[in-house]
């Protein structure tokens, strides 16, 4: 093995060993489903019938939409944001803020309606969250949000449906 290859592998191994230290900046969440919340289990074919191809990619295959592509990023009416897969309320409009990231962002969520897990798809750990009813991938949560929580729940707009508080609003 050439020295530079060995050094590259050693550097990668060292970076992996440092992950727990790097990970100190990500939120440690243990989210649990609300008591009595029934899971919605559908086959891949049933999900494909229910969702658009773009929604399927995000909700079922953990995809991400491009930033600034969702009209929900600029939605500021009173109402609630529901899972596009099963209509479970996930966020209320009072929880939303402009993060400047191009994705709908919230500083908190409806308690018991989201579940989280660690995601290593980008090599470094991130906290990914899902709808507690259908398991649909929503987005990731970061520790750079506003008070009172200090968290940014960064959501894919296609994973949500918005329901205004007053009809016709």
């Amino acid at each position: 093995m050439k020295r530079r290859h060995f050094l590259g592998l050693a550097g990668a191994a060292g970076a992996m060993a440092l992950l727990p230290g790097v990970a100190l900046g990500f939120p440690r969440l243990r989210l649990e489903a609300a008591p009595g919340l029934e899971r919605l289990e559908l086959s891949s074919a049933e999900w494909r019938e229910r969702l658009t191809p773009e929604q399927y990619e995000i909700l079922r295959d953990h995809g991400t939409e491009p930033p600034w592509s969702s009209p929900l990023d600029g939605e500021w009416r009173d109402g609630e944001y529901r899972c596009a897969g099963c209509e479970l309320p996930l966020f209320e409009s009072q929880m939303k803020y402009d993060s400047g990231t191009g994705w709908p962002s919230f500083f908190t969520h409806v308690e018991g309606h989201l579940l989280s897990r660690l995601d290593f798809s980008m090599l470094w750990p991130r906290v990914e969250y899902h709808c507690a009813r259908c398991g649909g991938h929503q987005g990731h949560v970061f520790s750079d949000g506003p008070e009172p929580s200090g968290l940014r729940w960064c959501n894919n707009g296609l994973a949500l449906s918005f329901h205004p508080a007053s009809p016709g609003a």
Side-chain angles (χ1 to χ4, degrees), residues 42-53 55-56 60 84-85:
L42 299 176
S43 69
S44 291
E46 290 170 313
W47 280 119
R48 288 187 189 281
E49 285 179 27
R50 181 181 275 230
L51 304 169
T52 67
Q55 287 174 318
Y56 187 92
R60 308 318 304 166

Side-chain angles (χ1 to χ4, degrees), residues 16-140:
M16 292 301 286
L18 288 175
L19 273 179
V22 171
L24 291 176
F26 77 82
R28 287 179 164 65
L29 298 170
R30 295 191 79 111
L31 301 177
E32 295 183 18
L37 186 65
E38 283 192 43
R39 292 275 304 176
L40 174 63
E41 304 281 342
L42 299 176
S43 69
S44 291
E46 290 170 313
W47 280 119
R48 288 187 189 281
E49 285 179 27
R50 181 181 275 230
L51 304 169
T52 67
E54 296 82 8
Q55 287 174 318
Y56 187 92
E57 168 66 22
I58 291 167
L59 288 162
R60 308 318 304 166
D61 287 338
H62 300 87
T64 301
E65 67 193 9
W68 293 283
S69 65
S70 172
L72 293 183
D73 187 39
E75 177 60 69
W76 298 107
R77 294 176 291 170
D78 286 339
E80 63 183 15
Y81 295 83
R82 299 178 187 169
C83 174
C86 69
E87 293 299 316
L88 182 68
L90 304 178
F91 304 100
E92 297 173 8
S93 57
Q94 298 80 4
M95 302 170 175
K96 189 170 188 265
Y97 75 101
D98 184 3
S99 67
T101 62
W103 288 281
S105 298
F106 306 86
F107 61 83
T108 191
H109 61 92
V110 175
E111 197 68 34
H113 289 195
L114 292 174
L115 301 175
S116 65
R117 73 177 182 93
L118 277 181
D119 170 18
F120 289 94
S121 65
M122 300 283 287
L123 206 51
W124 62 89
R126 300 183 300 166
V127 176
E128 179 179 275
Y129 62 94
H130 300 258
C131 172
R133 179 185 288 151
C134 72
H137 167 74
Q138 295 292 321
H140 292 83

Side-chain angles (χ1 to χ4, degrees), residues 135-166:
H137 167 74
Q138 295 292 321
H140 292 83
V141 61
F142 302 97
S143 296
D144 61 359
E147 294 302 323
S149 70
L151 298 176
R152 172 172 51 100
W153 297 81
C154 188
N155 219 98
N156 287 289
L158 285 170
L160 296 171
S161 64
F162 178 73
H163 298 264
S166 57

